[in-house]
Amino acid sequence: MAMKGYLDEYEKLVIRMNTPRVVIDNGVCSSATIVKVDSPRGHGILLEAVQILTDLNLSIKKAYISSDGRWNMDVFHVTDINGNKLNDQSVLKYIEQSIETVYYGENIEVNGLTALELTGTDRIGLLSEMFAVLSDLNCDVVDAKLWTHNGRVASMIYLKDCSSGSPILDSYRISKIEGRLKNVLNGDNDVKSAAKTCVSVDMMTHIERRLHQLMFEDRDYEKRSKKQERSPMVVVTVQNWAERGYSVVNVHCRDRTKLLFDVVCTLTDMEYAVFHATINTSEDQAHLEFYIRHKDGSPISSEAERQRVIQCLEAAVERRASEGVRLELRHPDKQGLLAEVTRTFRENGLNVTRTEISTSCGMATNIFYVTDANGDEADTKLIESVREKIGFECLRVKEMPSVNQRKGDGEEHQQTKAVLVSLGSLVWRNLFSFGLVKSCS
């Protein structure tokens, strides 16, 4: 018995030693709240911390990631969505408790729902057809997210039965839902464009991480056609630092919410470990630098792999880079609501590039990013016409496209700046090599 008690105390000690420690400080920086996380090294630990912060819609203005042997020290400068420091004690306590415990998933209640994963070829009116099928099959969409990129579409949809409010468990009915949606998604008969529909077997995976995984598995990072290739607003460089055995990844792009999550998520799922990183934002621009290795400790080993990392990180940033006008629909939930709204979009020449669907207490709150049929900014008169048909009070314009639609000179400046940053990084590494900067690895 004494030995068992000793082992229990030892196990508790091990747990305490391997539990991340969080310190939140509002006094050090005048413009941001500092969140410092000390944790044992482990694949995905950094992603979990970033995920918690971004799920709260916090902006990470700066971050410093450093690995010392088997221990990580991560420092995040965060603000709320309005750029203010965090003063709500309940939010600060939630951050501390969440990071210090095992954390999975998003704050979506998935119990009692059936989760569907969908991938396929994007086209005008696709969302309208999908929701029409689900309405016809007596399915109520409770939560959903859909991304489009490079002519591909990925979606996670959480359903329940309209009549009973119960999850849909009957295998025959599920097979019928999957088959109907697959026919809608298939588009043409090109093998590369083949649609995939299935009931999600891993309900614990964070929904946005799963969307990245679905897009990655669908190889959306490969350019499909000249028409789909737009001037890149993301500059990614990858270099090897042979002396220290790192691959150095630089990402320069327009700053936005959840940018760090998207990049770290992709590196993690590609099985790279981040040993050191620096994230800086200035005005509307962001620069992210990562020192990475494979999980086995080796750097990137070939030009083909280097190009693949560049492509995948460009895609990770672009998937959530919102194109078009942001519309928010608030309406009492009812069967067929999404089918009606998206049909109105389609009939008036609006294309949905991204959407977030949520339902709570009988009220639907849905966000749509829309463009015209050519993928360009929709005319204001067209938007107002659609709002009139759906209801001005129900459908509101929340955000117009930013000036990042302008390309050319702005892009050239961005690429030049990214190259200069990479050169600065090279100088820093040379100082490191000559012993003028101390290593943390």
Side-chain angles (χ1 to χ4, degrees):
M1 294 293 293
M3 178 61 71
K4 185 179 186 302
Y6 170 79
L7 289 176
D8 288 343
E9 290 303 314
Y10 177 76
E11 288 172 0
K12 291 177 184 177
L13 175 62
V14 170
I15 291 171
R16 284 198 296 271
M17 288 176 61
N18 288 279
T19 297
R21 294 195 289 270
V22 181
V23 176
I24 300 177
D25 195 320
N26 256 327
V28 174
C29 179
S30 60
S31 59
T33 298
I34 307 299
V35 179
K36 178 183 173 184
V37 183
D38 293 325
S39 63
R41 278 200 57 78
H43 193 65
I45 295 292
L46 172 61
L47 176 59
E48 287 180 8
V50 172
Q51 177 180 299
I52 290 165
L53 296 174
T54 53
D55 278 349
L56 290 169
N57 287 323
L58 302 180
S59 296
I60 300 175
K61 296 301 182 183
K62 292 185 179 182
Y64 306 96
I65 314 300
S66 182
S67 172
D68 184 4
R70 294 184 177 274
W71 202 258
N72 280 354
M73 184 179 74
D74 306 332
V75 180
F76 305 96
H77 293 229
V78 301
T79 67
D80 64 19
I81 199 166
N82 298 314
N84 302 316
K85 295 170 69 172
L86 311 182
N87 293 309
D88 188 330
Q89 290 301 312
S90 64
V91 172
L92 299 179
K93 192 69 175 176
Y94 176 82
I95 293 171
E96 183 177 323
Q97 291 177 343
S98 297
I99 295 178
E100 288 181 348
T101 57
V102 177
Y103 178 88
Y104 295 100
E106 209 174 11
N107 290 329
I108 289 180
E109 180 58 54
V110 297
N111 291 332
L113 301 176
T114 300
L116 287 179
E117 299 179 352
L118 314 171
T119 56
T121 304
D122 186 31
R123 67 176 187 280
I124 304 295
L126 174 62
L127 195 61
S128 171
E129 295 178 39
M130 287 169 52
F131 287 142
V133 165
L134 292 172
S135 178
D136 184 56
L137 293 173
N138 203 37
C139 299
D140 183 20
V141 178
V142 179
D143 283 284
K145 288 195 178 183
L146 177 143
W147 290 354
T148 63
H149 181 247
N150 275 348
R152 307 301 293 166
V153 60
S155 181
M156 288 287 297
I157 302 177
Y158 295 89
L159 305 169
K160 65 181 180 180
D161 180 74
C162 281
S163 303
S164 65
S166 303
I168 300 168
L169 302 175
D170 179 72
S171 58
Y172 173 77
R173 189 176 175 194
I174 288 174
S175 178
K176 185 176 181 181
I177 293 170
E178 290 179 344
R180 289 276 299 274
L181 287 174
K182 190 170 185 178
N183 288 337
V184 169
L185 283 161
N186 252 328
D188 54 42
N189 294 318
D190 183 2
V191 175
K192 292 183 179 179
S193 301
K196 295 180 182 178
T197 63
C198 68
V199 174
S200 177
V201 294
D202 187 1
M203 298 284 280
M204 299 303 293
T205 300
H206 187 275
I207 186 172
E208 293 180 348
R209 182 176 185 181
R210 186 60 189 144
L211 284 173
H212 276 299
Q213 291 171 348
L214 290 173
M215 283 283 197
F216 178 81
E217 291 165 7
D218 199 39
R219 305 176 72 89
D220 73 308
Y221 52 85
E222 296 179 344
K223 302 299 181 184
R224 299 287 169 174
S225 68
K226 289 293 181 183
K227 183 179 180 181
Q228 290 162 349
E229 286 186 28
R230 296 195 171 196
S231 302
M233 295 304 293
V234 187
V235 180
V236 180
T237 62
V238 178
Q239 301 169 315
N240 270 2
W241 186 15
E243 294 86 350
R244 296 284 175 176
Y246 292 119
S247 293
V248 185
V249 176
N250 279 279
V251 180
H252 187 82
C253 61
R254 188 171 295 275
D255 190 27
R256 60 166 174 77
T257 57
K258 301 194 177 184
L259 174 63
L260 181 58
F261 170 83
D262 293 336
V263 175
V264 173
C265 179
T266 300
L267 289 173
T268 302
D269 284 336
M270 293 180 74
E271 301 201 330
Y272 293 105
V274 176
F275 286 81
H276 307 280
T278 304
I279 287 79
N280 279 302
T281 62
S282 176
E283 296 178 350
D284 65 343
Q285 297 297 307
H287 175 250
L288 302 84
E289 182 174 65
F290 300 90
Y291 290 73
I292 66 171
R293 292 174 182 152
H294 284 285
K295 285 175 67 177
D296 65 6
S298 62
I300 291 171
S301 58
S302 69
E303 177 61 20
E305 183 185 1
R306 190 180 77 88
Q307 290 299 328
R308 187 166 180 262
V309 170
I310 290 173
Q311 284 183 321
C312 291
L313 290 179
E314 286 175 348
V317 175
E318 290 169 356
R319 286 170 195 147
R320 205 199 295 265
S322 305
E323 294 185 5
V325 181
R326 184 176 187 263
L327 301 177
E328 182 178 294
L329 174 75
R330 284 186 57 81
H331 193 284
D333 191 31
K334 65 175 184 177
Q335 184 176 358
L337 173 64
L338 289 169
E340 291 176 18
V341 171
T342 52
R343 184 179 66 245
T344 303
F345 288 162
R346 182 192 65 198
E347 291 173 348
N348 287 271
L350 290 181
N351 182 42
V352 180
T353 61
R354 186 159 67 91
T355 187
E356 299 177 12
I357 310 297
S358 63
T359 308
S360 179
C361 301
M363 179 65 68
T365 303
N366 306 328
I367 296 170
F368 304 93
Y369 290 86
V370 299
T371 65
D372 68 12
N374 296 317
D376 298 318
E377 183 179 340
D379 183 74
T380 305
K381 292 180 180 178
L382 178 58
I383 295 291
E384 291 305 300
S385 173
V386 170
R387 289 186 62 213
E388 181 179 13
K389 291 170 182 174
I390 294 174
F392 286 111
E393 290 303 312
C394 297
L395 186 65
R396 302 194 176 197
V397 177
K398 287 296 183 178
E399 184 180 311
M400 295 298 288
S402 62
V403 255
N404 68 355
Q405 304 288 355
R406 291 184 305 179
K407 304 178 173 68
D409 292 342
E411 250 171 50
E412 204 172 297
H413 169 73
Q414 194 163 313
Q415 291 178 350
T416 302
K417 185 173 180 180
V419 171
L420 291 174
V421 170
S422 294
L423 288 174
S425 174
L426 182 60
V427 171
W428 183 85
R429 292 200 298 276
N430 285 335
L431 292 174
F432 208 159
S433 296
F434 285 115
L436 299 177
V437 179
K438 189 178 179 181
S439 172
C440 295
S441 61

